[in-house]
Amino acid sequence: MCSSDLLEERYDRDDEYTISASQLTVSDRARREYQKAVDRLEKYDVSRAVEHLRKAVEMAPQFAAAWNYLGTIAYHSGDYRQAEEHFREALEQDAGPYSPAVNPGGVLISRGRIEAALPLNDRPLQARPDAPLAPPQLGHAYPSLHPLGVPAA
């Protein structure tokens, strides 16, 4: 896996193409497990992909992209509790990338914890108002908080 595979969309456009020091310490073996997971997902083999991702984070607990992918799989499998844990771990390992920063907010919205989700979406939204995930998540959340569509003054 080349270093460009580690690049993720970041909060700040000026920092968009940087790699954190912790992610540079991810071993080649862990990266190969990650790539095997991606290959398995391309073949719709989710269970084997999860096995490879788990191996990757065992080898390199700081591997934020692998934690984020585990969270994405858990989310799409309907296991929101596990998804939230994985996304939060990704965020703890590397607070820079956009996806792990905004993904916990989506999980909380799915779990009906709208008010807890709002601050998690605020920072990514402020930094990247044109990014694809935070605005729709907030658009989904606000009607639940304000059924008439008008926030309280």
Side-chain angles (χ1 to χ4, degrees):
M1 179 180 294
C2 69
S3 62
S4 65
D5 292 330
L6 294 174
L7 298 176
E8 290 195 51
E9 186 174 8
R10 301 184 79 81
Y11 284 129
D12 184 347
R13 287 186 194 279
D14 294 335
D15 197 27
E16 189 170 348
Y17 298 107
T18 61
I19 300 171
S20 72
S22 69
Q23 298 312 294
L24 289 173
T25 65
V26 173
S27 70
D28 288 340
R29 286 180 53 218
R31 291 185 205 292
R32 282 192 296 275
E33 289 297 329
Y34 181 90
Q35 188 56 53
K36 288 177 187 176
V38 171
D39 294 344
R40 296 313 317 163
L41 284 172
E42 287 175 355
K43 296 176 180 169
Y44 303 101
D45 187 353
V46 176
S47 63
R48 293 287 308 277
V50 168
E51 288 175 23
H52 289 295
L53 289 167
R54 287 188 196 281
K55 286 181 188 177
V57 297
E58 279 179 28
M59 292 178 206
Q62 75 278 21
F63 199 173
W67 284 112
N68 190 62
Y69 224 147
L70 281 167
T72 300
I73 292 169
Y75 181 85
H76 287 288
S77 299
D79 188 348
Y80 299 135
R81 183 195 56 76
Q82 189 70 57
E84 182 179 352
E85 288 177 19
H86 291 319
F87 289 143
R88 287 187 186 275
E89 185 65 33
L91 191 56
E92 184 175 318
Q93 297 305 323
D94 187 2
Y98 182 83
S99 295
V102 75
N103 285 343
V107 172
L108 291 173
I109 290 169
S110 296
R111 296 179 77 185
R113 296 171 52 200
I114 306 296
E115 289 192 30
L118 296 179
L120 291 172
N121 281 301
D122 188 53
R123 181 175 173 215
L125 180 65
Q126 295 302 317
R128 300 292 304 269
D130 61 335
L133 198 51
Q137 283 181 184
L138 288 172
H140 179 76
Y142 275 112
S144 299
L145 292 174
H146 309 288
L148 299 177
V150 179

